[in-house]
Amino acid sequence: LKRLQRERLRLSRQSQVSEERVADAERVNKELMNMINKLRHGRSEFLHQMSRLNERETAMSADMKHFAQAAHSSLDEKEKLEARLKRQQFDYKVEINHNEHLLNMLQDELAKLDSKIAEAHLNEEYSMQEE
């Protein structure tokens, strides 16, 4: 009888220890499940943020390509305008030189004509005085 009581007491203690271990294991399992759920939720938010950042990066990359193309075309246009301006300045200088040369020729011609007119007037006056 004592032996049976001791055995029962021993089994009861073992059972109690086992129940405590099972309870501890269940508590740890619940904590692990909660931690895993929190990590899953955090991972989900992180992946969502990463996808938004990737979309933003793609959009910014496209914008940068567009800006680079616009800058290159603006520089090309600026170079074309500068070349056209230099050509027009050169043409303007050539035209001014040509016009100045033409003006000088016309002034010389005018001076010659004025002197011929003056000479003709003198000859006419001289002719009239001789009559």
Side-chain angles (χ1 to χ4, degrees):
L1 186 68
K2 267 187 166 184
R3 187 173 161 217
L4 283 175
Q5 283 181 344
R6 274 189 270 162
E7 185 66 22
R8 193 179 122 219
L9 186 62
R10 186 182 68 77
L11 288 174
S12 172
R13 284 184 194 154
Q14 277 185 341
S15 173
Q16 189 177 8
V17 168
S18 294
E19 285 177 5
E20 287 176 3
R21 287 183 180 167
V22 167
D24 287 344
E26 286 179 351
R27 183 181 48 79
V28 168
N29 279 343
K30 282 184 182 180
E31 289 177 3
L32 284 174
M33 285 175 45
N34 287 336
M35 182 63 71
I36 288 171
N37 288 335
K38 285 180 186 177
L39 289 173
R40 283 180 180 162
H41 182 70
R43 181 178 183 269
S44 172
E45 288 180 7
F46 175 76
L47 290 176
H48 181 68
Q49 286 178 349
M50 286 302 294
S51 70
R52 284 195 341 225
L53 287 174
N54 284 338
E55 290 172 6
R56 187 173 173 194
E57 181 183 357
T58 302
M60 289 176 76
S61 178
D63 289 346
M64 289 299 291
K65 286 179 184 176
H66 173 72
F67 291 144
Q69 289 173 348
H72 287 298
S73 66
S74 293
L75 287 174
D76 290 345
E77 186 67 25
K78 178 185 173 217
E79 290 173 0
K80 287 178 186 176
L81 288 173
E82 286 176 347
R84 188 168 35 169
L85 175 65
K86 287 181 181 179
R87 178 64 186 168
Q88 287 177 349
Q89 286 174 339
F90 176 77
D91 290 345
Y92 177 72
K93 286 179 184 178
V94 167
E95 189 175 338
I96 285 177
N97 287 337
H98 174 71
N99 287 341
E100 286 176 352
H101 178 69
L102 189 60
L103 179 64
N104 288 336
M105 284 177 29
L106 290 174
Q107 284 177 343
D108 289 345
E109 186 70 26
L110 182 63
K112 287 178 187 176
L113 289 175
D114 282 342
S115 68
K116 284 183 182 179
I117 289 173
E119 188 179 318
H121 280 302
L122 285 176
N123 285 342
E124 186 180 342
E125 282 180 20
Y126 183 71
S127 295
M128 287 174 103
Q129 285 178 359
E130 284 184 0
E131 290 177 8

